[in-house]
Structure formats: structure tokens, C-alpha cells
Amino acid sequence: MAIIHLPTELLETIITHSLPEGFESLALTCRRIHAICKRFIQHHNTLRSRFHNFAYAELTSDAFETIRTAFDVIARIAVEPAVARYIRHADFALDSRQGRPRWLVANLHCGNAVHNLLADSPYLKQAGLDWQEFYAKIEEDLEEVRYSQHAASFLMTLLPNVETLKLPQKWKPLYDTDELIDAIVRKANEAHSPGDRPSLAQVSRFGPYVSIRDRFSLDWVNPFLALPHIRFLRGTSCVAMGDDGHTNNPSNSPERGFGRSLIEVNFAACCIDDVAIADFLHHTTNLRTLRYSHMTKAYSGPQEWNICKFITAIERNVGSHLEQLSISIRELRGSIAPGSTSMRGFQRLRKLEFPLEIVVCTISAATGCRAAIIPNVPLVVRDGSTDEHHHSDPEEPFISDFVPASVSQLSVLSSGTNDHAKALNVAFRHFAAAKASILPALEEIQLSCPDNATVTYKDQCSRLLAETEKTGVVLRLNRYPAESIITWNEY
């Protein structure tokens, strides 16, 4: 029997089960089905408007529609399960930013709907967690009008269609919730039929929510990075030190495939050392873009950053397949350790951005300078002179040490100090004569040239402009020292 010949009551049941994924296509099947769908259209549009791009917000005085916490969403889904399937982009950052009186939350129980949702949860069973004990902890948090990690994690068992996921600002590791997340990840990685969509199995963009002045341990996100379709990670204010016991160690994680689907990683205002970044990148075999901005944290231990070891760690782990790399310094309170590095091991890099501090510390190591490079302090070389009087040394680095031959677009970040002028002079000496042989793909250079840069630095910018004009390379001078104007490709 053709579907159009079914009784109206059966068609209405089919329509409700088609919400939201197949509703619009079903409504266009024929005039009869479209006519039956009409009474569902307004409700469908309301749910899509509220939940497609979901974020906690105070939208109405109606207690049933007010959603401030994870428990509010759970209760809404318990009453109307289709709500869970409308959520495609989930911003849970402000979970419980405004608490709710316990008596108001109680009105949302709607009988035993929430109890039944937890009691029937396959994820709690797989994690070995007693649903009544788990719910009791949610109840305790509700009584105290505080953020509930248990509610936040249980909500993540209910989201089959979510593609973008941002963790709550107050997310933290707890044994029960860690076990539940592990169960979600294992289920998402199991083979399943097209009609069976495990929760979080469609997530492709992920990140914690945290302000740049706070700290978020990188190992807290490890389980999520084993989800099968994760492509993009944005981590703000992540901290990971390989020698302090807080480094992420995915090799010890029960999930297989950690980070293997990642294509783009953006670490903003983070404090990660070379050991921790190597441990993280070791598993990212498909990574194409890495953007990292460094920010010293007052509570993160050593203030010295070894940027040369950091870059070497990146090159050793993803140098064979990385295509876009940005390294920048947002805030450095300590010093940069001298050392040497080479980017020749990056075989496919097309876009590259780095701070001139990399050249400065490499020059320091090559010429026997002080033990550390302190920003805005002139270099002191072997004979005791400053960088203004120092001349090129055959042992000093050259631009080919810092820019692979495959790069077509280069961005160099600088505060415009005299030591950066020296670095420009050393790195780009004989650029016009050597460009064709060492940087055949280079088409554009973007260089910081702040208004308050020293005269010496501005002179070097002018000299480099003359050199690039001889080769056809476009040089763009940027007045803002830490701002990139490169357009980064999204994969």
C-alpha cells in the first residue's frame, strides 16, 4: 500500500516521527500529506528557531520554556524527545550562570519523565553507573542552586544530531562524568546503521569555553577528541606542561583514534611546552592547520618559554602533512630561551606565520649571546657590542632555515624593536639573489611595522621592501604588531 493511502491517524504518527530530519521533505511529497503536515509546521519552526543553534538564555517568563541549565534541557527532552534532534550547534558555555529556585525546577519534572529518561539510559548502564545515585547528585546540585556537572554530562547522552559542541565554562573532571563521557565516545565509535545515530557521533567542531585569564587543562578534552568525526578543535587558555604531571597523555586513554580525525587546531592564549605539544600532536595524523598563540600564566610554573624546542616538536610530529602553521605571542611575562630551530622539515607548508623572536633566539644561540632572550632588550653578542654594531656571520641563520621552500604566503610578527631589526637583517640578507632557488613558491610577505617601531627597524622594513620588489614578491606592512591578516583556509 502506498503511503498516501494510509489512514490519517497513521500518517500523523509517521509525521511526528519524521521531525525534524525528514519533516520538510515528507511535507512536499503530495498535497494530501502536505495538508496533514500543516498543523505541525508552526511547532516545527518554533523548535527549529529555539534549538537549532542552542545557547542558554532567558527568553520567556514561562518556566517550561526558560532554559538556564542542563537540567532544564533534559526535562524539556524528557517531555518531548524530538527536541534533542533539533539541536545542531550546542553552546553550553553559560550553563547555570543564573541559578533557579528548587521549587521552580521541580515543576519541570512532568511526572516521572526525567526519572524514566535516566532509568532507561543505555549510556549510564554501559558506564556502570547507578541511575538513581547519578540522579541524586543532580538533585543535590539543584537544591544548592549550582552548576551540575552530572546534568551537563547526561545531557550529552541525548544529542544525536549535534555538529558543534562547546563545553560549559564550569566543566571539570569528575569520576562519574568522565566514565559517562567515555561510554558516549565508545558508543559513537561503534559500527551502527544509518538510522541509528549515537549521541555526539556527528560532532565535527569542538572546544571548551574559558576566559583567557583562567586555566583549562588540555587533558580534560582528551575523550572528546576520540569522537569519530571531530575535525576542528579550539582551545582557549589551555595549559599543559610535560614536566609537571599535568600533561595530556592520550596514549593512556581508553579511547582509540584520539585526534586522528582532527584537521584544524586553534590554541588561543595557551601555555603549552614542547613536551606537551609533542604528546598532543603525535596522534594527529591528518592535521592540516595548527594555530597557536602563547600566553604566560601566572600559575603555570616556569615563565621561560623555549620556542625553538616548541617548533621542533611540531615539525617532528606533523611536519610531513601540515599545510598551515601560525605561532604568535599574545603575552610573555618571562623570557624566551635561546636555541636553534629549522623549519626545513615541513614538507607541505603553504602558509606560515611566526614571531621574529624565533630568529632572535636562534641568532643568540649562534653568536654566543646571553642565556635567555628578554623581549625589548637589545642583543649582546660575543664581543660585548649590541645588535646595532653587529655584522653578518657565516654561521648565522638564513631565511631558508625559517621558511620552507613550499611556502607561498608568509606572515612575520614583530613589535618593531632594534633586536627585531637585527633579526630582519640577518634572516632576509641577499633575499633578492637567493629567492628563486630557496623560496620558489613565495608570493607574499606580511610584515609587522608598528607606528612606534624604532628607526632602525623601519629602515630594515624599507630595505626588505626594495629587495622584494626585485623578485615580484608582494610585501605588505601591517601597523598592528600582533595581528595577522592572513586568510586561513578552513577544511
Side-chain angles (χ1 to χ4, degrees):
M1 179 184 292
I3 187 173
I4 60 172
H5 300 307
L6 291 175
T8 300
E9 294 78 6
L10 284 178
L11 285 175
E12 288 179 344
T13 301
I14 293 172
I15 290 169
T16 57
H17 281 84
S18 74
L19 293 168
E21 298 93 342
F23 175 73
E24 294 178 11
S25 297
L26 183 60
L28 297 176
T29 303
C30 66
R31 291 182 179 180
R32 182 184 176 219
I33 292 180
H34 183 271
I36 299 172
C37 283
K38 278 187 176 180
R39 72 183 188 89
F40 296 92
I41 291 176
Q42 182 176 352
H43 187 58
H44 167 69
N45 290 338
T46 299
L47 292 180
R48 184 176 57 182
S49 174
R50 177 64 184 96
F51 292 102
H52 187 273
N53 296 306
F54 177 80
Y56 294 108
E58 185 76 37
L59 297 179
T60 174
S61 58
D62 185 343
F64 188 69
E65 295 296 338
T66 296
I67 299 179
R68 295 179 182 171
T69 72
F71 184 83
D72 293 342
V73 187
I74 293 169
R76 189 71 172 82
I77 293 172
V79 174
E80 188 174 6
V83 167
R85 302 199 302 273
Y86 277 90
I87 300 176
R88 294 297 181 106
H89 306 284
D91 182 352
F92 296 144
L94 301 183
D95 186 355
S96 303
R97 187 174 184 179
Q98 293 178 305
R100 304 184 70 184
R102 182 65 183 84
W103 65 268
L104 183 58
V105 176
N107 292 335
L108 296 180
H109 276 67
C110 300
N112 294 320
V114 174
H115 287 170
N116 294 339
L117 198 60
L118 273 77
D120 296 337
S121 172
Y123 294 98
L124 288 175
K125 294 175 183 176
Q126 185 175 348
L129 300 171
D130 182 272
W131 77 268
Q132 292 175 313
E133 294 178 1
F134 199 89
Y135 184 74
K137 293 178 180 178
I138 296 176
E139 283 273 287
E140 181 180 341
D141 293 327
L142 295 175
E143 291 286 353
E144 298 296 328
V145 194
R146 66 191 179 200
Y147 164 74
S148 176
Q149 176 88 359
H150 286 76
S153 62
F154 184 76
L155 174 57
M156 294 185 194
T157 70
L158 306 173
L159 307 175
N161 294 330
V162 68
E163 300 169 4
T164 304
L165 176 63
K166 183 180 289 186
L167 291 181
Q169 184 175 10
K170 299 177 183 179
W171 184 268
K172 56 189 176 183
L174 292 175
Y175 175 80
D176 286 354
T177 58
D178 288 350
E179 291 296 303
L180 185 56
I181 295 301
D182 287 346
I184 295 172
V185 172
R186 283 193 292 268
K187 180 68 173 176
N189 280 284
E190 292 175 358
H192 50 270
S193 63
D196 177 24
R197 291 193 174 188
S199 189
L200 302 190
Q202 306 303 314
V203 173
S204 61
R205 301 178 70 86
F206 168 76
Y209 177 86
V210 63
S211 72
I212 63 172
R213 297 296 174 183
D214 294 328
R215 171 177 179 153
F216 193 98
S217 293
L218 188 54
D219 56 353
W220 294 0
V221 306
N222 280 350
F224 295 96
L225 299 184
L227 289 168
H229 295 110
I230 288 286
R231 299 291 184 268
F232 174 85
L233 167 67
R234 177 177 176 84
T236 301
S237 201
C238 290
V239 176
M241 296 292 162
D243 58 357
D244 66 358
H246 295 291
T247 181
N248 59 305
N249 190 359
S251 60
N252 294 332
S253 178
E255 298 81 27
R256 296 182 177 182
F258 165 90
R260 291 179 185 172
S261 62
L262 277 174
I263 293 178
E264 181 175 351
V265 172
N266 188 346
F267 286 127
C270 293
C271 189
I272 303 175
D273 69 2
D274 57 292
V275 177
I277 197 67
D279 190 33
F280 177 85
L281 293 177
H282 177 69
H283 304 267
T284 57
T285 54
N286 290 297
L287 194 67
R288 297 294 178 266
T289 299
L290 174 62
R291 301 178 66 186
Y292 176 86
S293 68
H294 188 80
M295 181 175 179
T296 307
K297 308 296 180 182
Y299 40 76
S300 63
Q303 302 292 293
E304 184 179 81
W305 186 38
N306 197 319
I307 190 172
C308 292
K309 284 187 176 181
F310 187 83
I311 291 174
T312 299
I314 296 173
E315 180 269 325
R316 287 177 178 172
N317 286 278
V318 295
S320 63
H321 50 274
L322 201 66
E323 297 178 1
Q324 300 182 127
L325 173 64
S326 170
I327 307 291
S328 62
I329 300 173
R330 184 184 182 97
E331 183 179 316
L332 184 67
R333 299 180 185 175
S335 57
I336 294 179
S340 60
T341 189
S342 171
M343 296 193 181
R344 295 177 183 176
F346 290 96
Q347 302 169 18
R348 300 177 59 184
L349 212 58
R350 295 182 292 104
K351 294 186 178 184
L352 172 64
E353 178 173 71
F354 63 81
L356 269 176
E357 280 83 357
I358 294 175
V359 183
V360 172
C361 72
T362 305
I363 294 173
S364 172
T367 57
C369 293
R370 296 172 290 107
I373 305 301
I374 303 175
N376 303 323
V377 176
L379 285 172
V380 180
V381 295
R382 290 191 186 97
D383 58 6
S385 62
T386 60
D387 55 4
E388 291 96 332
H389 303 95
H390 184 61
H391 301 284
S392 295
D393 186 313
E395 298 180 355
E396 287 177 341
F398 190 50
I399 189 62
S400 59
D401 291 316
F402 307 106
V403 184
S406 58
V407 169
S408 61
Q409 197 169 10
L410 172 67
S411 174
V412 181
L413 306 174
S414 172
S415 57
T417 57
N418 280 348
D419 57 331
H420 285 193
K422 162 65 180 175
L424 271 183
N425 181 44
V426 169
F428 287 93
R429 66 187 186 277
H430 312 308
F431 175 78
K435 189 270 176 188
S437 60
I438 63 172
L439 297 174
L442 188 62
E443 300 175 353
E444 180 182 354
I445 300 175
Q446 299 175 13
L447 174 64
S448 299
C449 189
D451 293 338
N452 62 348
T454 66
V455 173
T456 305
Y457 181 85
K458 290 182 177 179
D459 287 345
Q460 287 298 331
C461 290
S462 297
R463 292 173 186 169
L464 180 57
L465 181 61
E467 286 283 297
T468 56
E469 287 177 348
K470 298 176 185 177
T471 65
V473 174
V474 176
L475 176 64
R476 305 183 191 278
L477 300 180
N478 185 7
R479 297 170 57 188
Y480 304 99
E483 180 180 295
S484 172
I485 54 178
I486 281 184
T487 300
W488 300 96
N489 295 338
E490 292 189 2
Y491 294 91

